[in-house]
Amino acid sequence: MTTSNASLKRWVDDVARLTQPASIHWCNGSDAENTALIEAMLKSGDLIKLNQDTHPNCYLHRSHPSDVARVEHLTFVCTRNKEDAGPNNHWMDPTEAHRKIDGLFAGAMRGRTMYVIPYCMGPIDSPFARCGVEITDSPYVVVNMRLMTRMGDAALTRIEREDKYVKGLHSIGDLDPDRRFIMHFPEELTIKSVGSGYGGNALLGKKCHALRIASWQAREEGWLAEHMLLMGLQSPEGRTHYVAAAFPSACGKTNLAMLVPPASMPGWKIWTLGDDISWLHVDEQGQLRAINPESGYFGVVPGTNRKTNCNAYDMIQRDTIFTNVALTADNQPWWEGLENGTPVLDWQGKPYTPGNGPAAHPNSRFTVSAKQNPIYSTLADAPEGVPISAILFGGRRREVAPLVYEARDWAHGVLVGAGMASETTAAAVGQMGVVRRDSMAMKPFAGYNFADYWSHWLKLGSGANASKLPKIFHVNWFRQDRNGRFMWPGFGENLRVLRWITDRCEGKVPAIETPIGLLPRKQDLDISGLDMDPSTLETLLSIDAGAWRQEVDAISKYLDEYGSRVPSQLREELKGVAKRLEAANAA
Ligand code: OXD
Ligand code: MN
């Protein structure tokens, strides 16, 4: 097979000349192709068959031990002008970057098959969807891309019609961390990734295309590509609100998107549209609408069980690829947080010794088709997307940030998102648990200068057309008391907070004006049936003026790092918070 598109054909030929594969395979996305790839990987040892009685069509992949997470220090945005990439990105001059990485691609696929994967991010017939082609020498990438994107013939047909697509070149190379780079050339709609087989570095449709390149395209075309889950909340009266929520990696987006309503909220239903990425457009009526560009989940496994996320737990019992989990004696996948079973082999395939680190890697993952989610929304395939009632920002904050507050308006909401901070997690290589600013949860993913990105957000909100923009909220499920215990139960109980949010969207309840935004009245947040004393709720819903003054200073210093490109409106918003804090202090 090949293509009728001359530019695509030329690019594939050029790549083959550079990388020297033994053969070229154009992926059509069929079941037969998938089965053949899995068979070949079972033979080569790239996949291990899991217990087919308990986990039909489930496989385990063990990655190289040095290749288990995203590598932000090796991820570059290569724009002609360094300022366009901004202090939030590592930058390299595009000419130098191509030279450097092409040197690593030279002959990299010798003896291997080169796979050409046409894919579409978003419903195949959606005007908001965008296509790409990934060339890779990893069959593991092909089978994962088939779950995560609309991949194969239908995508190729659209690519041939549109003649505009993102070019992604990937090789696992020799997996040497010293020869690993993830490079983005937004001006050329091009990605080059070498030396890693890990999801975020290798499944180029996900972070590289749907966030870094798409955020650049989105600014040029007037929309937003965001690190946001997308879910529907249906009340017992049958009204459904759609909410998009940005949290940093491994902060519970998948769990929230698949939330199971608590027993105290009968009649509520949750619908998942996406668990990681949303593309948002203002429509002709001024309504913000969203699609999920992905079609599967690449989720963190540890902690997943019937209680924390029974929908995810159920969907990963079959047709799932596990990466870096542990194994029981009868070849079932095992991870920390599972209620049953005993690991005998750890994620590296070594005999498991308790006390010698976790059995499953903390960033071990499942890859599964979204169709297996029992609460997958039928509207996830709607070409026009869903209307958004509320945007949520949230981080993992031991202190300072209350359980929930509402921004005063869109511009203030942009400040709330820009000032977001969170403790780092295992999703990226580096120290864990350190608080860092992570604007809109996009620190590792914005493909251009954050200062320009904040301006773009502000501009979207001030457009003549933006009459029905959603409300913006900040949530924090992770507050801890003095003894390090979580103060809020989280998981399904988060629906109590989401209900307050939808009540606010419907104008049903008033809220308390504070210097940082609007907080719930205690009586409007239902905590009946929770084992929580009133003083805990009091703390969760109050603000410490001293701590917030420090927070404002820290945000101000953070904005300074972005220099003169920072929109003055954002600084004005921050001054507004500082002034209100002073006024409250004086009163
Ligand atoms: C992810 C991440 O894999 O954010 O979704 O790292
Ligand atoms: Mn993510």
Side-chain angles (χ1 to χ4, degrees), residues 115-132:
Y115 301 94
V116 182
I117 313 171
Y119 63 88
C120 179
M121 300 310 293
I124 197 92
D125 50 352
S126 170
F128 305 139
R130 295 286 181 275
C131 290

Side-chain angles (χ1 to χ4, degrees), residues 478-547:
F478 299 96
R479 269 298 271 274
Q480 291 179 20
D481 65 16
R482 262 192 230 106
N483 303 314
R485 274 186 302 250
F486 287 112
M487 296 169 81
W488 178 251
F491 301 105
E493 307 298 348
N494 291 338
L495 187 55
R496 296 171 189 259
V497 176
L498 297 176
R499 170 157 66 184
W500 180 77
I501 287 173
T502 59
D503 282 350
R504 288 292 300 160
C505 293
E506 290 180 6
K508 272 191 182 161
V509 287
I512 302 171
E513 284 249 13
T514 79
I516 67 160
L518 301 155
L519 264 81
R521 301 184 307 177
K522 278 193 279 305
Q523 65 267 37
D524 293 330
L525 195 80
D526 178 16
I527 56 158
S528 56
L530 289 184
D531 182 18
M532 177 179 288
D533 64 50
S535 71
T536 303
L537 186 65
E538 182 86 42
T539 311
L540 284 169
L541 294 185
S542 58
I543 61 159
D544 172 342

Side-chain angles (χ1 to χ4, degrees), residues 470-482:
K471 283 179 176 292
I472 298 181
F473 298 82
H474 187 281
V475 297
N476 177 21
W477 318 131
F478 299 96
R479 269 298 271 274
Q480 291 179 20
D481 65 16
R482 262 192 230 106

Side-chain angles (χ1 to χ4, degrees), residues 257-275:
M258 295 178 193
L259 179 150
V260 177
S264 64
M265 293 180 70
W268 282 81
K269 273 200 187 128
I270 301 301
W271 303 106
T272 318
L273 287 104
D275 78 329

Side-chain angles (χ1 to χ4, degrees), residues 70 198 200 206-207 227 248-250 253 276 298 365 427-428 445:
R70 284 184 291 99
Y198 172 74
K206 195 173 179 61
K207 304 300 187 182
H227 193 204
S249 311
K253 282 201 298 299
D276 197 39
F298 180 67
R365 298 281 178 146
F445 308 121

